[in-house]
């Protein structure tokens, strides 16, 4: 039974109701010695509490897209087939553009993610990662008037733990953007959400760690190539952006700064610079990895200022101060736009309300590529 499906939620509710009624009918009917009666009543109370907590957990999980599968919840899932040392640029000397095309089969993404979302399981040829990728196409994509056009792309990263459906289900991204795209208020972006929970109970920090995981390459090379091989998507960095919230915001800022040859813009919602802010991150406990995975350190130590733009938002102590640090360190052509939130907490509802402003900003930053470009044969 699916962890996020309606049948499991209904089953949990029915069991919780039964657990609540059980003591009412059996409390005075339990026979035997006092110890047996006491133990039986205690077990009934504990069972009722457990089922109540279970219902709350399932509702919170469905609302926030924390865990997609039982493997994710139990920490038994591992999506890494290999993790070779791919060098500083994360490609291992391989040229993704000249590699054979990766053709995928897509199916409807069933669940609480709204309409029009597809997903596929991708085996990353360079990263060694295997995982699901969710894709949503803008309303213009299948319009005959756009049949010869390529579309800009935004990769969407959840927090940790997080589901590939979180941006679509919890943040209602495509539901908010569809009317805006039809009005021409924002560009018709292709939205892509790759799996970021790749290890057993550990956050990858979207980093390449030889022998452990190549999460950076998975997101910024393999997934990117798969999209350009299967859809009329922009191929140059001027048509690509990456966005995330919480741990995903940290990743988005890091990848946008580290790879201006792949992304022209990054969106960091309530993220952080220091990987140690997420205790489960594999980059938080090694001094070298911690330093080199910090987007502020990457920005300060770049050979030349990266040609990328950042949108950073958060409250005091929850992303805003880190955004200001990035803005202070930025030199042209790097730009950093910082927005201070006034309360609301570290919650999906806060990030959901930011979606329209984020995509207006992305449309502006990607310029002409953020509209729709002439077809390039991909």
């Amino acid at each position: 039974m699916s962890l996020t499906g309606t049948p499991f939620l209904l089953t949990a509710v029915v069991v919780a109701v039964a657990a609540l009624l059980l003591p009412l009918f059996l409390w005075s009917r339990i026979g035997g010695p006092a110890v047996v009666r006491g133990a039986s009543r205690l077990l009934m109370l504990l069972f009722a509490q457990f089922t109540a907590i279970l219902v709350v957990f399932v509702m919170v999980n469905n609302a926030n897209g924390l865990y997609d599968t039982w493997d994710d919840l139990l920490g038994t899932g591992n999506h890494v087939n290999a993790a070779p040392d791919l060098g500083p640029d994360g490609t291992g000397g391989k040229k993704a553009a000249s590699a054979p095309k990766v053709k995928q089969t897509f199916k409807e993404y069933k669940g609480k993610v709204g309409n029009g979302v597809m997903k596929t399981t991708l085996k990353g040829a360079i990263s060694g990662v295997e995982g699901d990728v969710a894709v949503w196409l803008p309303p213009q994509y299948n319009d005959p008037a756009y049949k010869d056009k390529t579309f800009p792309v935004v990769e969407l990263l959840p927090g940790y733990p997080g589901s590939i459906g979180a941006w679509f289900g919890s943040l209602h991204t495509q539901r908010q953007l569809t009317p805006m795209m039809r009005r021409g208020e924002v560009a018709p972006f292709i939205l892509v959400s790759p799996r970021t929970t790749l290890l057993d109970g550990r956050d990858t920090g979207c980093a390449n760690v030889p022998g452990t995981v190549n999460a950076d390459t998975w997101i910024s090379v393999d997934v990117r190539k798969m999209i350009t091989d299967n859809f009329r998507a922009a191929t140059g960095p001027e048509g690509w952006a990456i966005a995330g919230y919480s741990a995903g915001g940290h990743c988005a800022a890091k990848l946008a700064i580290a790879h201006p040859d792949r992304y022209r813009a990054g969106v960091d919602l309530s993220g952080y610079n220091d990987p140690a802010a997420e205790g489960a991150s594999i980059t938080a406990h090694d001094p070298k990895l911690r330093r080199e995975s910090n987007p502020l350190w990457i920005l300060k130590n770049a050979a030349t200022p990266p040609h990328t733009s950042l949108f950073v938002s958060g409250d005091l102590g929850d992303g805003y101060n880190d955004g200001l640090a990035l803005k202070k360190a930025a030199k042209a052509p790097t730009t950093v736009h910082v927005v201070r939130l006034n309360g609301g907490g570290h919650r999906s509802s806060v990030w959901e309300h930011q979606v329209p402003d984020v995509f207006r900003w992305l449309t502006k930053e990607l310029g002409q590529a953020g509209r729709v470009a002439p077809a390039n044969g991909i």
Side-chain angles (χ1 to χ4, degrees):
M1 190 178 294
S2 170
L3 175 63
T4 58
T6 299
F8 182 63
L9 173 60
L10 293 178
T11 300
V13 171
V14 170
V15 172
V17 172
L20 181 64
L21 295 176
L22 196 63
L24 297 178
F25 286 101
L26 299 181
W27 193 269
S28 60
R29 300 182 183 184
I30 298 175
V35 174
V36 174
R37 295 197 305 272
S40 300
R41 290 166 179 166
L42 178 61
L43 287 174
M44 285 192 294
L45 292 176
L46 291 175
F47 182 58
Q49 289 182 330
F50 170 77
T51 56
I53 293 171
L54 178 63
V55 170
V56 172
F57 163 77
V58 174
M59 294 176 68
V60 169
N61 185 56
N62 288 349
N64 293 281
L66 301 176
Y67 300 97
D68 235 356
T69 66
W70 288 102
D71 282 340
D72 290 342
L73 174 63
L74 300 175
T76 55
N78 192 319
H79 297 266
V80 180
N81 296 323
D85 187 343
L86 298 176
D89 69 347
T91 66
K94 300 177 181 179
K95 300 294 183 182
S98 59
K101 288 193 174 184
V102 178
K103 287 300 182 181
Q104 293 290 123
T105 299
F106 293 82
K107 59 183 180 181
E108 179 186 359
Y109 186 177
K110 297 180 180 179
K112 302 179 185 300
V113 295
N115 297 325
V117 183
M118 308 173 288
K119 75 174 180 178
T120 189
T121 300
L122 173 66
K123 293 183 178 180
I126 298 179
S127 67
V129 169
E130 180 176 356
D132 290 340
V133 182
V135 179
W136 179 84
L137 302 176
Q140 291 90 338
Y141 191 87
N142 292 312
D143 184 335
Y146 290 80
K147 65 182 178 66
D148 296 322
K149 305 293 184 180
T150 59
F151 291 76
V153 184
V154 183
E155 283 189 86
L156 305 173
L157 310 181
Y160 176 80
S163 159
I164 63 170
W167 275 84
F168 303 109
S170 303
L171 273 59
H172 303 109
T173 300
Q174 79 278 29
R175 189 176 76 184
Q176 295 189 71
L177 294 183
T178 296
M180 298 176 70
M181 289 179 178
R182 285 178 173 153
R183 293 193 301 265
E185 189 176 342
V186 299
F189 292 103
I190 295 174
L191 305 181
V192 180
S193 184
R195 168 178 279 275
T196 55
T197 302
L198 304 175
L199 301 173
D200 48 353
R202 291 173 291 167
D203 174 29
T204 67
C206 297
N208 279 0
V209 182
T212 302
V213 66
N214 286 318
D216 179 327
T217 300
W218 159 249
I219 295 168
S220 69
V221 178
D222 284 333
V223 172
R224 201 173 183 281
K225 175 174 172 52
M226 184 272 287
I227 294 299
T228 59
D229 283 352
N230 288 270
F231 301 98
R232 299 193 313 276
T235 56
E238 64 279 354
W240 278 75
I242 187 164
Y245 61 81
S246 191
H250 163 75
C251 286
K254 181 173 80 72
L255 295 175
I257 293 171
H259 302 301
D261 58 327
R262 300 169 197 174
Y263 303 103
R264 184 62 75 239
V267 175
D268 175 357
L269 306 181
S270 303
Y272 45 84
N273 291 334
D274 185 351
E278 172 51 69
S281 175
I282 60 173
T283 64
H285 306 290
D286 178 275
K288 185 174 185 291
L289 278 175
R290 179 179 175 182
R291 180 178 66 252
E292 294 179 355
S293 296
N294 186 323
L296 181 59
W297 185 91
I298 298 172
L299 182 59
K300 288 181 175 179
N301 289 273
T304 58
H307 186 184
T308 195
S309 300
L310 296 181
F311 177 107
V312 184
S313 70
D315 207 342
L316 283 173
D318 189 27
Y320 177 70
N321 304 83
D322 286 3
L324 291 180
L326 289 169
K327 184 173 183 177
K328 183 178 180 181
K331 298 177 181 179
T334 310
T335 62
V336 181
H337 177 66
V338 184
V339 175
R340 179 177 174 180
L341 303 179
N342 295 311
H346 197 79
R347 302 190 305 173
S348 294
S349 58
V350 173
W351 306 316
E352 177 186 355
H353 290 309
Q354 293 184 266
V355 167
D357 286 342
V358 162
F359 278 83
R360 290 189 190 101
W361 180 85
L362 284 170
T363 300
K364 178 182 176 183
E365 289 301 314
L366 268 61
Q368 190 59 37
R371 296 297 173 178
V372 171
N376 56 10
I378 296 299

